[in-house]
Amino acid sequence: MEHLLDITGLTVSYYTDIGRAIALNQVDLRLKQGEKLGLVGESGSGKSTMGLAMMRMIKPPGKVEGGSVVIGGVDMLQLSDKEMLKRRLSTISYIPQGAMNSLNPVLKIKRQMIDAYRAHYPDHKLDQIMDLAHEAMRSVELPEHVLEMHPHELSGGMKQRVCIAIGILLRPQIIIADEPTSALDVVTQRQVIETLNRVQQKIGSALILIGHDMGLMAQSMDKVAVMYAGEIVEINDVQTVFTSPKHPYTQALISSLPRLQNRGEFRGIPGMAPSLYRLPSGCRFHPRCNQQQPQCQTTSPRKSVFEDEKYVTCHLYEAT
Amino acid sequence: GGHSLAKVPREQTLVLGWSITSPIGVTNPFASTGYTHQEANNLMWEGLSYFGIFNDEEIPWLADSMEYTKSDYTQLTIKLNAMAQWSDGTPVTSKDVVFTFESQKNNNKLPYHANFKQFVDKVTAVDDKTVVVDFKMPAPRFKFQVLTLKFDTGIPIVPAHVLSKVDNVNEYEGGNDMPHSGPYNLVLWDANQKIYDLNTDWWAVKAGRISMPEVKRVVMFNIGGQVGQGMDVVAQRVVNNEFDATLDMRSSVIGNILRQNSKVTTHSADKPPYGYLDWWPNSLWVNTQLEPYSDARVRRAMSLLINRELINEIIYEGAGIATIYPFPLYPGLEKFANSAAVKKLEAELQPGLYDPDKSAELMKAAGFTMNGDDLWEKDGKTVGAVINGFEGIHSDIVPVLVEMLRNGGIDADINFGTDAYQNMADGKAGLYMFGHGASLKDPYTALELFHSRYSAALGTTAGSNRFSRYSNPEYDKLLDEMAPLGGDDPRFQELAAQALGIYWRDQIDIPVIQWLHRIPYNQTYWTNWPTIANPSLGMNGAFWAHTGMLVVSTLKSAK
Amino acid sequence: MFVIKRLLFVLLVVWSASTITFFIPRISDINPIRERFAELARLGGFSAGELEKIVESYSKAFGLDKPLMQQYFDYIGGVMTLDFGVSLNKFPKTVLMLIAESLPWTIGLILVTTILSFVIGNLVGALAAWPLSPKWVRGVSTSFILFQGVPPVLLAILLIFFVAFKLNILPIAGAYSIGTVPDFTFEFLLDVARHQILPGIALIFGSLGTWVLSMRGMGITIQGEDYVIFAEHKGLSSYTIFKDYYLRNALLPQVTALALALGNVITSAIVVETIFGLPGLGFVLITAIRSNDFLVIYGIVLFITIAVAVLMALVELLYPLLDPRVRQGQE
Amino acid sequence: MINYFKRNISLTIGLGLLIFLILFTLHGLLTVEFKQAYPLAVRPKQPPSLKYLFGTDFFGRDLYTAMVVGVWQTAIIGLLAGAAGTIIGIVLGFISAYFSGLVDVVIKFICQILTPIPAFLIQVVIASSIDKRDVTIITMAVVVFLLSWMAPTLVIRSQVLSMRERQFVAVAKLSGMNSLEIIFKEIFPNLLPFIAAAFVAQVFQAVFASFYLAVIGLGPLREPLLGNTIWAAQSQSAFFNGWWWWPVGPSVAMILILGSLALINMGLDEMANPRIRNKE
Amino acid sequence: MSTATLELKNVSKLYRVGKKEVHALNPISFDLLGDPARIITVAGESGSGKTTLASIMLGLLEPTTGQVLYEGKDVSTLSGSQYRDFRKNVQAVFQDPFAVFNPFYQVDHLLEVPIRKFNPGLSKAARRKAMEEALEAVGLQPSEILGRYPHQLSGGQRQRINVARAIVIKPKILVADEPVSMVDASLRANILEALVSLRENHKVNILYITHDLTTAYHVSDSIIVLYRGSVMEAGDITKVVESPQHPYTQLLINSIPWPDLERKWDNQQYANPDIQEISGEGCKFYSRCPNRKPECQQTPNLVPLFPKHLASCRLHPPKADLDAHLTNNL
Ligand SMILES: Nc1ncnc2c1ncn2[C@@H]1O[C@H](COP(=O)(O)OP(=O)(O)OP(=O)(O)O)[C@@H](O)[C@H]1O
Ligand SMILES: Nc1ncnc2c1ncn2[C@@H]1O[C@H](COP(=O)(O)OP(=O)(O)OP(=O)(O)O)[C@@H](O)[C@H]1O
Ligand SMILES: [Mg+2]
Ligand SMILES: [Mg+2]
């Protein structure tokens, strides 16, 4: 088993009054142990949905319609509810978007850690648990007395790191961090990302960093997956994405980025992201694409896979 | 807390249901705001004599005899029973009687103070067991009205050796252990119940007045609420044999009790009207000083709107208790009502007539016109006829009266508020539904309620039950002449008929119903309740009346 | 400092309540003593003139002849020391004695039912908003909300008629079985408890809906909170999440309402205690209302006000223990 | 819109019930003879039948008519007291929150001080101190509302306070709106669900308070208010005597009125709760 | 086109929460002069007083000390017509693209109210036209936008309507408080473009408030760096970004996650942002400063180091011959 994570054909829809929104369409993703993947894309492109689907935490009106999420040979989507409960945090852990409010305001940090631990190892002694909690705190560079504090006594960055500490408490094989820094200022942002990197290295797990800040991806990720309207349009190593992006959307995205060199230049992507309820035919990006081909309007492109599980979904490239 | 009472089996216990409202611990008859004989204190306190209404005879008690010793009713001699004694062993003597009488005369907070002050000149103890009362004026009714216990009137004798040592008798509670002469000792009193145990050393048994009571324990259980309210719950408890007797009930309720428990009986067994006549006929009292009721035509017009037959039919399930008299038709009074003079007046004045047309004529004559709402109006004002009353006992009749008046154009409404009594007592309101607790043997006391000596000005308090504030010198003259005469005196009968004539003619108030006591008697544990078939000592069956002690003492175990 | 502030607040509440009860009746011309004696006169043989004299002498005894302001200050002074004066109806009993006599019954009933309805109502409300609850919970919660509209009188009558009278499984009414001598044996306490069940149910249903309704709203808000979702990510069992992350947080604002609810339940207690013949505070109150025993009415109003104000202050003092967020803002 | 009602079932059922009650009453008011709601109008103690839909009571009222009139009168008390309490609450709440400073301190303080005083008991004290001849449905409403405006005041106040901090208020200010315009055009519409909920709660309280006042004999007793009818049935031991229809009819009406309000309240709760609304 | 001036004189703000005092803004003075129109960035971490400064400038918040002068007059004492003029000419674009909308109204409300208020004479059609033009100017299709409710639009759309509002009013001075922090990268460019064109085409002076130095560098002419309510460094944007003088600014610039593989975060040991401030005398950054010296315990002044470049740091001696006035260095 070469890959730690193997997602194939993952499809998720939300059923609402307006209709069915396919928030995740036939998504494939493979990850090796210790790999760091950045998951980027516009708001609403399905990044969080992807993370949640891996956790099996899609709630009504959402529904996982198909596909598999295999971690270490076990398909998460086939497990019983009870077994899945055990896997959360221990096999795969998700540090949610908006960690500011992710800690219960009336419980001490310690208690929230103990709860998480006890849910998986009900018979362990408190001493043992506390040792682990201390270790987790150390690895996110927080003093131990933070354990005795309540969330409101912590700053935003500290809260975010507490969430990370909880997320790694059971040394999961995969950590998903959903926009852990979008509400933080640059200094704190950097601190959090570096903490995440360090911790990931220490426990050797794979890391999926969800976000739309390409800067953060450039700073710390190995690979980048670009999502557009519920699909992964391109996965590539970070180098390629920034220097020679393949997909026209990725290209537009990269060229819209502000850098030191191109001061005063703005190149937004023209047009609007499509509504998931009214997707364009063919390639979902074609209405905004500057390299449109005739078949783009009618047929959905298929994957062109490069080496090492990297691929692009675009008619410009030959399908494999 | 901390009581350790002997267990008494249910078969030897009498359970009575009553709304107990008096303050816990008040057993002293002289305690001025809290004492009532009704809540089983009648089992502790005895009178000189009792009156058995259904046998129409006096029952000598603490006194062996009580006689007017001057033919003009100005002197009364009382001879006490030689065995009579307080529960602490002290004999009941003239000293106690004199103390009781003197207290009533001198202490204005005692209920019979007015009577004593009006009539009594002096009270003398001739010897240990003989007392002579000298009156200021002829007092032919004093012995019966004041000194004889019956229904809710009369005074009990209190122990001088206890009360004379108390600083302020009006504020002295008495408590459970106060020496008394009656057959039962109060052994427990909390918010839920009062428990009385038999005093096996009761003087009356030794004196041969009565045999030893079979009821070993009396539990008066607090059913809560205002008298007459929430009776459905009480009824269910009677059906379940929890209560042996309770306060009286509406006819529909008692009918349903009898249907559901064959052991329960009533004064008239299982036949309507299920009760006996109380001394408390209810009138619609009218404030005769208040516009527009000061006009006799308006009062009469209102009376003409009352359909007494319909009242009998709707509210009392056919029991013919609607009345035209301000007194109950007990034997002596029934004789008076049936006398030729009264019959003639009745035919002439038609006091019970229901005639809306005639009523309308009178209203027009009184200057009223019918307005757009079909209500009589004068000077832009309708007849603001709010009937004040007590929800517990009047919630059945008053709404019906209101509607009868409204149908005839009188702008009537109901007030069962807490100020109902006060409104009437102060002369603020025009109409008040209430009883005449007065005559039992002859009509004097009832008719005397309308004497102008009680005609207080509006805004001042009318004396008890004198809400009419009626004033008529012609009427007063008749009453003054009647006062010194005995009830059997033919002159008295003649004058009484004339006075009743004025009552009807002027429609001083509007008599509506005789009051019935429909008391359920449960025979599961106790028999020998006083009923038509078994009058016992002739007393009424209300255990809460002064004569209730006789009811309890004569019960027989069902086993 | 905070404690002193709260204490001052309680005093202010009591002061305004006593001012209201002092002045409102004085706006109208009702003289409670006269009212009371006039009523007594019904039974006895008082004559008009005498009655006025008695009223005068008692008014003096109660200090009603003093200047209004003097009376007012005496009254306030009395209230602050829990001296509500004497009952006119049950003279020479003091109002406080009457309250003390009835309090055990009321505390038993009101406290237990309020707490029960708080617990049940909030639990059901929370469950109703909890997405994992079975469907029928929503039905139950809705019916509880609808139950608010059932007049406690009707409920009491139905319970008595069917449960106690027809089925005969519980006593019909009363505080304990007739003829029982109160003591502290287990048997007696059991008897008392059996007598409290039906009135308890009648009371609980009256207030259940309010809790369900507010808790449901609260629950809906909390259930979407990020920390509840994160708790799920942590792999906690739904039971733990429900208990520690959802219910506990949603319950916090409800606690503040508890003290107020205790004050309001007395209203339904009046009816329920009357129908069941329980000699509690509500029963004393309605007796006082019916017999114009004004000082008792005011005394009970004030007593309840004080109790509620003190409870509210207590809740506020204790609240920081439950909710650490408040702790900080205080000092 | 229709979709919204489909989702907000409580609101839909509540409104449905309310509309049914309104139609029932309106239809009734147009067809019944009012006199039949008062004693001596029809044969007493009749069980429900085609002739007497809801039966007749001990006094000879037609209970169907009594119900129509009773629902109407109960509604009037509820609406009057509810409206008055809510309006006072809105006005004071707005004044307090928007202008802050001393006014706010005073209003808030008064509300907080009055809150622990059991309103019903004060209502009893007042009702027993006024002349009974003046006790009408209107005075009843006044008595009820006198001490029930504090809750809406506090609710509105806190809502306005939080609303005031919302950015759209700052934007409105920047757009040149003055304080009054901001209050009425920006803040007020957003408080509608809260106001409606406060109103519903007020009505609820008013209906119950009028019922309890009837129980202690302080209401306009002749009128067939639902509470009066229920209490009259209880006074005549209707259940024990087998006249079950007498208390049951008005009780059901009361349950329907209050139940529909509770459901609407529940629905409005959902409406006011952004978490639910945002899912639209 | 006439110019408008907004002048801050020793403005400071102190919040009192219970017994706690928060010096959200320490005394600061500068003016926004009309011509030529510029974009000035106010940057700083969360809680540094950026929004406080904006609110004071907009007249939404009373300063604790000092005055805000509009055309030389204190804004708190403006007369009716002057006040309206101030309102029209000093406008804002706010951070949260949802909160600025009143959920009760359609999005038109946001645009229509200022038009009606500031151009009372316009007909309905003219108003509609103004709205449409503004929407088109920010790249939105009016037919897709007008008549809809805020929750029916995406964050990017809402944020652009927000900018359109500023275009519709055509103020002289625009305070943009984090106008792009909530939108994703591709939209960010669009919005910033709109802001820049406001300056270019309408001569609007813009105060751009952000903690995102990447975008600041791209759009603005000069910058003020705030830290805990005090100005740490100010001046020409390229100077400050390219050679930051104050340790705090250095830290900030170093922490920018440039989307650039060439420019990775260095390994410099940064000070822990968790350390809470000790209020009182001294440099606000003292506790976190890697180069702190004893003399830093005395509050430093904002002094010129180079032309168009000020800093308040005791490590740098002032250049006495340069103008120390903040405005002149922006
Ligand atoms: N509970 C839901 N009900 C209906 N639609 C939903 C729900 N949750 C998400 N969606 C839709 O699914 C799509 C993907 O949402 P998702 O939250 O995964 O996006 P995202 O990429 O994480 O966006 P963001 O950057 O804003 O967090 C969106 O269009 C969203 O509207
Ligand atoms: N209304 C207020 N009451 C009390 N303190 C406040 C208030 N508003 C802001 N503060 C405090 O003032 C300081 C500055 O706040 P401000 O909102 O101006 O910061 P900011 O730079 O805009 O931060 P952010 O980047 O988080 O928006 C902070 O410490 C904040 O907690
Ligand atoms: Mg997301
Ligand atoms: Mg800010």
Side-chain angles (χ1 to χ4, degrees), chain B residues 3 5 15 20-26 32-34 38 108-115 117 152 170-171 173 188 190-193 195 217 219 221-226 229 232-233 236-237 239-240 242-243 260 390-391 418-419 421-422 425-426 428 432 434 456 459-466, chain C residues 29-31 34-54 57-58 87-93 97 101 105 157 160-161 164-166 168 171-183 195 274-279 283 287-292 294:
Chain B
H3 303 278
L5 295 185
V15 180
I20 302 175
T21 57
S22 65
I24 294 174
V26 175
S32 61
T33 58
Q38 294 195 329
N108 70 6
K109 286 176 187 160
L110 295 184
Y112 282 83
H113 172 66
N115 295 66
K117 213 175 116 187
D152 293 315
N170 302 119
E171 293 188 8
E173 293 191 7
L188 181 146
D190 66 18
N192 301 283
Q193 59 185 357
I195 298 181
R217 171 171 287 178
V219 176
F221 199 81
N222 193 357
I223 56 177
Q226 193 186 22
Q229 253 172 0
D232 56 343
V233 172
Q236 291 169 38
R237 302 185 84 174
V239 173
N240 272 8
E242 288 182 45
F243 290 133
Q260 296 183 40
F390 288 86
E391 190 178 4
T418 51
D419 58 344
Y421 186 87
Q422 179 82 26
D426 282 356
K428 273 189 258 174
Y432 190 50
F434 204 68
T460 62
T461 309
S464 63
N465 300 0
R466 272 89 170 180
Chain C
D29 57 352
I30 289 182
N31 174 345
R34 215 152 138 267
E35 197 104 343
R36 179 59 203 148
F37 278 97
E39 188 141 337
L40 280 179
R42 246 183 2 205
L43 299 170
F46 296 113
S47 67
E50 299 296 338
L51 195 70
E52 293 301 331
K53 270 189 222 146
I54 298 177
S57 79
Y58 271 103
S87 161
L88 299 171
N89 191 17
K90 307 202 167 182
F91 184 80
K93 288 251 143 123
M97 280 159 84
E101 274 167 20
W105 301 110
I157 295 168
I160 290 177
F161 191 78
F165 183 58
K166 288 284 177 211
N168 212 353
I172 293 179
Y176 48 75
S177 299
I178 296 171
T180 318
V181 178
D183 49 18
H195 281 79
T274 304
I275 289 182
F276 284 95
L278 298 172
F283 177 71
T287 313
I289 292 172
R290 290 221 169 97
S291 57
N292 287 319
F294 287 82

Side-chain angles (χ1 to χ4, degrees), chain D residues 167, chain E residues 45-52 54 95 177-178 209 211:
Chain D
Q167 232 162 37
Chain E
E45 64 179 51
S46 178
S48 55
K50 305 183 295 290
T51 300
T52 304
Q95 170 171 19
D177 189 359
E178 318 233 21
I209 296 180
H211 61 238

